[in-house]
């Protein structure tokens, strides 16, 4: 079995090209980096715990992807360009095939976003992965949660609801009779695509933004409370995949999934009316939908065909309470 030093050397060091702004990566007491002038550094940390955020049966590739994707999603929601990541990993044992698969998926996603692993810590313990990501955002252009105004359009990227359906499949709380639909949704649960490009394209355009990690309603509430506003959501405008429609068998249930599905890692953002016409050009090639409007009411109202609906929506739960 490899010792700790060799383990780090073999799996976590020298797996990526050096970014120009990384002066010193793994191997010393600290990493040294050169931040660009004129930018803030956006920093975020997310932890994934076995049994809470993924099941012990999850593949190492899926775990690695989910860990990095959830962190990249926070940078995206701030409009930041990814730069550096540190990893705290605790593992019950050294399982080299597991580590090799984990690192392969981790570095594949990291390289796609030009984010470099610059350091971390490796310990023995229950399987837990904590990543701290850092990115750049030009001074004054970060997408915060607090500036949504009455009349702003409310938008989301991609489709919503698949991650919750995927969780149903993983926990077997609901299954489609079609095996291939179950497989696609389970994959979408673990392999979401962080909306980094959308985030940077929304700089200077979105009045507020957040990534959907707890469910659209729960996350939109964060924007509304920070901005001291309310919202009308047109439930018919919620973007829903054909697979989710097939899985739920009803428009209403699919929409309820879209409103409460967590760990989607899509962006929810608001845009002032006069800037809405610019979105098509700014987000060219990125799927997005207008789902409602900011109000002054202080609450979220759900509309279907212009009428208010009163759906009992439960929040998002992880695999178990924590
Ligand atoms: P220290 O005793 O100074 O904390 P460590 O022995 O924990 O150093 O780590 C040695 C080097 O390897 C450090 O530069 C650290 O950043 C890096 N490192 C340790 N674990 C990881 C990891 N999981 N991913 C990336 N780098 C790591
Ligand atoms: Mg250490």
């Amino acid at each position: 079995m490899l010792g700790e030093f060799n383990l780090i050397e073999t799996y976590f060091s020298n797996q990526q090209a050096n970014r120009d702004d990384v002066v010193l990566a793994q191997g010393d007491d600290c990493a040294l980096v050169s931040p660009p002038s004129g930018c803030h550094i956006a920093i975020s940390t997310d932890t994934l715990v076995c049994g809470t955020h993924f099941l012990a049966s999850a593949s190492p590739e899926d775990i690695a992807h989910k860990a990095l994707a959830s962190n990249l999603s926070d940078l995206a929601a701030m409009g930041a360009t990814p730069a550096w990541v540190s990893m705290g990993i605790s593992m019950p044992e050294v399982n080299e095939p597991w580590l090799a698969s984990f690192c392969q998926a981790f570095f594949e996603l990291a390289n796609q976003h030009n984010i470099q692993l610059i350091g971390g810590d490796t310990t023995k313990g229950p399987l837990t992965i904590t990543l701290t990501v850092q990115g750049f955002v030009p001074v004054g252009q970060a997408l915060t949660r607090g500036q949504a105004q009455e009349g702003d359009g409310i938008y989301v990227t991609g489709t919503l609801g698949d991650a919750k359906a995927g969780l149903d499949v993983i926990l077997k709380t609901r299954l489609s009779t079609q095996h291939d639909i179950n497989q696609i949704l389970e994959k979408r649960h673990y392999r979401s695509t962080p909306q980094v490009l959308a985030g940077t394209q929304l700089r200077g355009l979105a009045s507020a933004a957040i990534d959907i990690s707890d469910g659209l309603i729960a996350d939109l509430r964060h924007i509304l409370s920070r901005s001291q506003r309310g919202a009308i959501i047109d439930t018919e405008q919620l973007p829903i995949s054909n697979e989710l429609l097939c899985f739920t068998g009803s428009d209403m249930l699919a929409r309820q999934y879209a409103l409460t599905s967590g760990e989607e890692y899509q962006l929810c953002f608001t845009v002032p009316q006069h800037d809405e016409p610019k979105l098509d050009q700014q987000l060219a090639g990125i799927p997005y939908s207008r789902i409602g409007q900011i109000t002054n009411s202080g609450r979220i109202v759900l509309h279907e065909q212009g009428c208010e609906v009163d759906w009992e929506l439960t929040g998002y739960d992880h695999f178990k309470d924590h």
Side-chain angles (χ1 to χ4, degrees):
M1 191 174 93
L2 287 175
E4 189 202 348
F5 180 74
N6 282 333
L7 186 100
I8 295 165
E9 191 81 342
T10 305
Y11 293 105
F12 296 118
S13 307
N14 310 318
Q15 294 247 32
Q16 291 181 282
N18 223 47
R19 286 175 56 102
D20 290 345
D21 52 17
V22 177
V23 180
L24 190 58
Q26 294 95 329
D28 216 310
D29 297 313
C30 291
L32 296 176
V33 292
S34 303
S37 61
C39 282
H40 286 310
I41 299 183
I43 308 173
S44 179
T45 299
D46 255 341
T47 295
L48 263 67
V49 179
C50 181
T52 301
H53 302 94
F54 56 87
L55 289 186
S57 56
S59 75
E61 292 91 343
D62 283 347
I63 297 168
H65 184 99
K66 188 171 177 178
L68 186 52
S70 70
N71 277 273
L72 287 168
S73 181
D74 284 316
L75 289 179
M78 216 66 196
T81 305
W84 314 310
V85 56
S86 318
M87 181 196 304
I89 182 164
S90 101
M91 299 172 283
E93 58 180 357
V94 176
N95 176 338
E96 289 199 50
W98 189 96
L99 262 178
S101 302
F102 178 90
C103 287
Q104 182 265 323
F106 181 88
F107 289 114
E108 187 180 316
L109 184 59
N111 287 334
Q112 277 170 23
H113 292 279
N114 192 26
I115 188 166
Q116 187 177 333
L117 183 67
I118 56 168
D121 201 21
T122 307
T123 57
K124 193 175 158 86
L127 184 59
T128 306
I129 297 122
T130 299
L131 300 181
T132 297
V133 287
Q134 304 188 48
F136 309 142
V137 60
V139 170
Q141 290 191 33
L143 306 176
T144 58
R145 299 176 178 182
Q147 298 298 323
Q149 303 293 341
E150 184 183 14
D152 289 2
I154 303 172
Y155 292 82
V156 292
T157 56
T159 60
L160 297 179
D162 290 359
K164 181 177 170 71
L167 185 61
D168 282 354
V169 173
I170 293 164
L171 298 177
K172 300 191 171 57
T173 46
R174 181 191 296 269
L175 288 166
S176 169
T177 50
Q178 294 183 42
H179 183 59
D180 57 330
I181 296 282
N182 292 330
Q183 276 187 321
I184 291 169
L185 292 170
E186 178 172 355
K187 200 89 221 144
R188 289 201 185 137
H189 177 88
Y190 281 121
R191 297 287 184 124
S192 58
T193 306
Q195 297 298 305
V196 172
L197 180 61
T200 54
Q201 290 297 101
L202 287 169
R203 286 176 191 162
L205 202 55
S207 47
I210 193 166
D211 67 318
I212 301 176
S213 54
D214 295 333
L216 174 64
I217 293 288
D219 290 314
L220 178 60
R221 268 206 187 101
H222 293 307
I223 289 184
L224 300 178
S225 65
R226 281 291 183 103
S227 303
Q228 297 189 301
R229 295 290 179 273
I232 291 173
I233 301 291
D234 296 318
T235 58
E236 296 128 309
Q237 303 304 323
L238 291 165
I240 284 161
S241 71
N242 291 334
E243 290 81 8
L244 180 63
L245 204 49
C246 180
F247 182 82
T248 56
S250 98
D251 281 329
M252 188 174 97
L253 191 55
R255 288 169 189 164
Q256 292 180 348
Y257 269 55
L259 291 167
T260 55
S261 179
E263 302 184 337
E264 289 284 340
Y265 305 128
Q266 297 294 339
L267 297 184
C268 171
F269 57 96
T270 59
V271 179
Q273 265 166 347
H274 61 88
D275 280 331
E276 289 183 272
K278 298 179 191 158
L279 271 177
D280 266 347
Q281 200 187 347
Q282 281 295 108
L283 294 183
I286 301 170
Y288 71 96
S289 314
R290 190 183 195 280
I291 59 161
Q293 206 160 21
I294 296 291
T295 66
N296 260 342
S297 75
R299 64 188 199 106
I300 299 180
V301 176
L302 302 178
H303 273 187
E304 202 173 46
Q305 291 175 337
C307 296
E308 189 171 339
V309 286
D310 186 16
W311 289 341
E312 284 266 318
L313 298 173
T314 49
Y316 176 69
D317 296 319
H318 285 295
F319 291 103
K320 63 185 185 198
D321 292 338
H322 62 118

